[in-house]
Amino acid sequence: QVQLVESGGGLVQAGGSLRLSCAASGRTFGSYDMAWYRQAPGKEREFVASITWSGGSTYLADSVKGRFTISRDNARNTVYLQMNSLKSEDTAIYYCKAINPGIWGQGTQVTVSS
């Protein structure tokens, strides 16, 4: 029912910032809780952040607390991941997900150089 497309990834220096976007199709976007995950080569996909449908509640993994912020703009059908103070260990493909019904985007590559 909903299609998700991530963008905003790229190459950034350690200590720098990136803002990822996940654009959703469909008028029901505002009713979905959303999340960001990431997957580095050879590793399992891991949870990064989530946000409720209203944007009133957010949760971040311990590894990114204090550095990343998740937000959404339901009028634009978009969820964001603001990534600051990036580290080499943040290098991964980042995916957004509509938690229910469990739909994933195609991912966007983030590479943090030393």
Side-chain angles (χ1 to χ4, degrees):
Q1 290 184 308
V2 62
Q3 185 176 18
L4 307 176
V5 180
E6 300 95 333
S7 62
L11 177 64
V12 65
Q13 295 177 337
S17 298
L18 282 175
R19 191 186 196 191
L20 306 183
S21 298
C22 175
S25 64
R27 64 178 181 237
T28 61
F29 169 78
S31 68
Y32 296 140
D33 294 349
M34 301 290 294
W36 286 96
Y37 288 73
R38 66 187 182 186
Q39 187 168 20
K43 295 186 177 181
E44 296 290 319
R45 189 171 298 186
E46 67 174 347
F47 171 82
V48 176
S50 64
I51 187 167
T52 54
W53 66 269
S54 67
S57 297
T58 62
Y59 181 80
L60 283 80
D62 288 342
S63 60
V64 303
K65 284 182 179 177
R67 300 189 297 121
F68 291 10
T69 303
I70 186 170
S71 62
R72 68 192 298 162
D73 184 345
N74 288 348
R76 294 189 60 190
N77 287 352
T78 303
V79 62
Y80 304 97
L81 185 68
Q82 178 66 49
M83 306 185 295
N84 299 326
S85 302
L86 283 163
K87 307 173 181 179
S88 60
E89 51 263 47
D90 295 318
T91 295
I93 300 175
Y94 284 72
Y95 300 88
C96 68
K97 178 186 181 182
I99 295 175
N100 189 5
I103 295 175
W104 298 85
Q106 86 289 347
T108 185
Q109 176 71 50
V110 172
T111 303
V112 183
S113 63
S114 301

